[in-house]
Amino acid sequence: MSRFAARRLDDLRATGLEVCTHPGLTVVPPGDVTPASGDHYKVFTPYWRAWEAEPWRAVLPAPESLELPEGLDPGAPFTPDDSAGAGSLAPERQAGGWTRARARLRSWTDGGLADYGDRNDDLPGAATSRLSADLRFGCLSALEVATAARDLPGGDAYVRQLAWRDFHHQVTAAFPWINTRDYRARDREWRRDPEALAAWKEGRTGVPIVDAGMLQLLREGFMHNRTRMITAAFLTRTLSVHWREGAAHFDAHLTDGDVANEYGNWQWTAGTGNDTRLNRAFNPSRQARRFDPEGVYVRRYVPELAELSGAGAHRPWTEGDGEGVEGYPAPIADPGR
Ligand SMILES: Cc1cc2nc3c(=O)[nH]c(=O)nc-3n(C[C@H](O)[C@H](O)[C@H](O)COP(=O)(O)OP(=O)(O)OC[C@H]3O[C@@H](n4cnc5c(N)ncnc54)[C@H](O)[C@@H]3O)c2cc1C
């Protein structure tokens, strides 16, 4: 539970109301599996082994009706106002809601799930479930999704990702400062570089795979997991800008942004979190060749590079006799080879 959620619960209890909470946010609630020593797992693989052996709760249907305490006026039902803050909303964001979430889950278990293990890193294929915002807002419960997927082809690989989600929640429950302090303090020198930070936010770093990810975020309020790692590593490892700066930008634009998964993953990528490989490298050029070999993902999101063919989209600096592509910046840092 984040600090905010814990405070909110304390405040409610302080009113004198009887407050009951029920598990629902995760498949396995934080604290239900713990290592022999310590209150939470710091490393994913042993957590995963314990998580797999844990029995799951039954999925319960939504209640038919709710009884309100006497004298309480619930007011008019909430209707989301799509025009509020429209300027800052991603124009191509996925529409949300309980009914759509259910349809998405059905079409996922009937279709893409079977190939998930092979295709989850296929950047141009966009072959992941896109259920993260539905999970974030509780339009689907993680238990319901895991139960629907578990016994189907592809279910093992997929449920493992839901265990990652639970993993970050149990870390955050034990370390609620995940969004402000290093989980594991490292001797890292952070740089203040407002220009580089602005270029990164706008998708104008001159490194195509980084810019494509950042532009996907602004356009869709979503970014593929692979480019989340590449862009976060570029900011924190290549540019040495603090993970808090990057996470704040993601938080402002992601429709699935939540404290545990966002900050847990940022710290994982920056090397201050739960990754056991501290010097994990995300060489942007190598990542691009491997996960977007034909440059399809880059061309989809970076308009200036739409005319380049094949993997040439990843090397715009070699175009025009080394002058680059008109309107597209030169790399602000070494994109790797
Ligand atoms: C820097 C960074 C920031 C991130 N911020 C968020 C965030 O704010 N909210 C969020 O839900 N995820 C976050 N992730 C994790 C992951 O990128 C997204 O969950 C995933 O891309 C969502 O797309 P999907 O639903 O199609 O995922 P799928 O690949 O279909 O996975 C299914 C579900 O498993 C869970 N999941 C998958 N990968 C992870 C992971 N690495 N960590 C935790 N849960 C995972 C998600 O709930 C996801 O919906 C972040 C990753 C990185 C590297």
Side-chain angles (χ1 to χ4, degrees):
M1 191 184 304
S2 69
R3 278 178 306 154
F4 175 76
R7 243 191 345 255
R8 185 176 48 195
L9 207 53
D10 287 346
D11 288 351
L12 264 176
R13 292 204 164 110
T15 63
L17 283 173
E18 188 192 342
V19 181
C20 308
T21 60
H22 301 274
L25 197 56
T26 52
V27 181
V28 174
D32 272 21
V33 289
T34 47
S37 63
D39 59 354
H40 72 291
Y41 281 91
K42 299 184 164 134
V43 175
F44 178 72
T45 308
Y47 173 74
W48 163 238
R49 274 192 230 110
W51 188 96
E52 268 195 309
E54 192 65 10
W56 293 354
R57 308 180 305 282
V59 177
L60 299 176
E64 303 240 316
S65 63
L66 290 174
E67 246 175 67
L68 289 178
E70 225 167 283
L72 194 72
D73 175 9
F78 172 73
T79 36
D81 176 5
D82 262 5
S83 64
S88 63
L89 289 179
E92 293 175 26
R93 68 193 179 280
Q94 186 173 265
W98 201 86
T99 310
R100 288 195 188 96
R102 234 135 230 94
R104 265 196 287 274
L105 174 59
R106 253 193 321 276
S107 89
W108 173 245
T109 49
D110 288 350
L113 173 65
D115 296 326
Y116 182 76
D118 294 331
R119 298 197 57 208
N120 63 74
D121 260 331
D122 170 7
L123 271 174
T128 61
S129 68
R130 295 290 298 258
L131 295 179
S132 49
D134 299 321
L135 289 164
R136 155 71 180 83
F137 286 102
C139 298
L140 292 171
S141 88
L143 179 67
E144 170 182 23
V145 174
T147 306
R150 176 169 52 181
D151 298 326
L152 297 174
D156 286 350
Y158 186 70
V159 165
R160 193 170 191 275
Q161 290 313 111
L162 292 168
W164 266 109
R165 182 176 175 277
D166 281 13
F167 174 77
H168 288 300
H169 275 287
Q170 58 97 47
V171 169
T172 302
F175 184 76
W177 307 273
I178 193 81
N179 57 343
T180 52
R181 293 193 215 149
D182 283 356
Y183 177 76
R184 285 183 220 216
R186 305 253 180 263
D187 226 0
R188 287 285 310 270
E189 287 269 322
W190 300 110
R191 282 186 330 121
R192 271 194 53 72
D193 189 340
E195 266 180 44
L197 178 60
W200 178 83
K201 287 183 182 176
E202 290 162 16
R204 304 277 304 160
T205 67
V207 180
I209 194 73
V210 171
D211 292 343
M214 299 308 293
L215 292 170
Q216 180 180 20
L217 175 64
L218 297 179
R219 198 153 118 185
E220 299 174 11
F222 180 86
M223 196 195 300
H224 192 285
N225 181 57
R226 179 53 52 182
T227 30
R228 290 189 205 206
M229 290 192 279
I230 298 170
T231 55
F234 188 76
L235 187 76
T236 55
R237 291 176 185 266
T238 307
L239 299 174
S240 293
V241 172
H242 202 288
W243 54 263
R244 275 198 297 264
E245 302 272 15
H249 178 72
F250 270 35
D251 202 38
H253 294 278
L254 278 176
T255 54
D256 63 23
D258 79 278
V259 172
N261 289 301
E262 186 175 318
Y263 290 89
N265 274 294
W266 266 93
Q267 293 222 37
W268 185 92
T269 315
T272 58
N274 302 87
D275 192 2
T276 46
R277 278 174 56 194
L278 297 185
N279 295 321
R280 190 186 292 275
F282 284 95
N283 175 317
S285 292
R286 216 173 296 149
Q287 293 276 317
R289 273 200 301 278
R290 184 158 169 213
F291 299 109
D292 183 28
E294 296 302 322
V296 173
Y297 177 81
V298 158
R299 276 192 294 280
R300 185 178 302 154
Y301 294 106
V302 188
E304 294 89 344
L305 306 181
E307 300 302 320
L308 298 188
S309 61
H314 293 300
R315 297 184 301 274
W317 48 84
T318 62
E319 297 291 317
D321 292 331
E323 292 287 306
V325 171
E326 202 183 333
Y328 187 69
I332 61 167
D334 182 7
R337 290 202 290 164

